[in-house]
Amino acid sequence: MLITMFIFDFLCIHPFNDGNGRMSRLLTLLLLYRSGYIVGKYISLEMIIEKTKITYYEKLEESSREWLETKHSYLPFVKYYLEIVLSAYKEFSSRVEHLHNRTLSKTERIKVLFDNTLEKLSKKDILEKCPDISMSTVELTLSDLLKNSYIIKTGAGRSTAYIRNTDYR
């Protein structure tokens, strides 16, 4: 949390004519590394921030109100930045899991997706998590899992999703 507060103040001070955002992200990586958080070596925090830059600027603006008068709140920016780091760790975990599961068949990998979540999964979710698996394989596997009562179908049409049957034995 101190790292994000430091970065926020750095951005508010705006020490350079150009490149303050890039420099703040480099400082973030350095400070995270020195604190033992090495996820930035494997997952680009810069890319995650880029994908959410509208929120980044909103939270920066929200937190910087009355910064000069020291009546500002770090909370919006800190929460946003912590979500970025958490998102990076989730992405890293997902990649490691993907590597770990490479020896499984495509059908087994889809089943593992249901084993590892309590949330609903749509066909689109499965295809995003396993981009090397074809739609027809996903559909066949879902059909088999439904037939064996391993998963339950919810919704219809575009809102169709599947969830693990907690009563499955």
Side-chain angles (χ1 to χ4, degrees):
M1 189 155 125
L2 269 175
I3 293 170
T4 56
M5 293 168 74
F6 172 81
I7 296 302
F8 173 77
D9 284 336
F10 174 85
L11 289 166
C12 287
I13 293 168
H14 206 79
F16 306 111
N17 289 335
D18 188 33
N20 289 291
R22 286 186 299 273
M23 184 59 74
S24 74
R25 290 184 284 283
L26 284 171
L27 284 169
T28 298
L29 287 176
L30 173 68
L31 295 170
L32 286 172
Y33 291 164
R34 289 186 155 212
S35 299
Y37 300 98
I38 60 168
V39 72
K41 287 184 178 183
Y42 308 102
I43 305 296
S44 172
L45 297 178
E46 182 92 27
M47 284 298 242
I48 297 171
I49 292 170
E50 178 63 29
K51 288 178 185 176
T52 60
K53 69 180 173 185
I54 292 171
T55 306
Y56 170 82
Y57 287 116
E58 286 173 354
K59 298 305 176 184
L60 184 59
E61 193 273 325
E62 189 178 335
S63 285
S64 63
R65 286 187 204 124
E66 299 187 273
W67 179 78
L68 287 172
E69 296 83 14
T70 65
K71 295 179 182 176
H72 64 290
S73 171
Y74 286 105
L75 193 60
F77 189 77
V78 168
K79 284 174 72 174
Y80 167 78
Y81 233 69
L82 292 176
E83 286 173 11
I84 294 299
V85 174
L86 179 61
S87 177
Y89 272 101
K90 284 180 179 179
E91 175 66 23
F92 180 71
S93 176
S94 172
R95 288 184 188 183
V96 169
E97 186 176 322
H98 177 72
L99 290 174
H100 176 70
N101 291 336
R102 278 191 354 194
T103 57
L104 299 176
S105 71
K106 292 178 179 181
T107 301
E108 290 170 328
R109 286 178 34 219
I110 293 170
K111 188 174 179 236
V112 166
L113 288 176
F114 287 102
D115 290 342
N116 292 336
T117 187
L118 297 174
E119 296 178 15
K120 296 176 184 178
L121 294 171
S122 66
K123 289 178 190 176
K124 180 183 173 196
D125 296 329
I126 295 168
L127 291 169
E128 285 176 2
K129 292 176 186 289
C130 304
D132 61 318
I133 299 178
S134 70
M135 176 62 91
S136 59
T137 301
V138 169
E139 289 173 344
L140 281 170
T141 302
L142 290 173
S143 177
D144 287 345
L145 293 173
L146 278 168
K147 188 171 126 186
N148 294 324
S149 300
Y150 192 77
I151 59 173
I152 300 168
K153 183 177 177 179
T154 64
R158 292 183 146 228
S159 64
T160 300
Y162 306 86
I163 191 164
R164 183 161 179 234
N165 183 355
T166 56
D167 294 330
Y168 179 81
R169 299 208 193 305

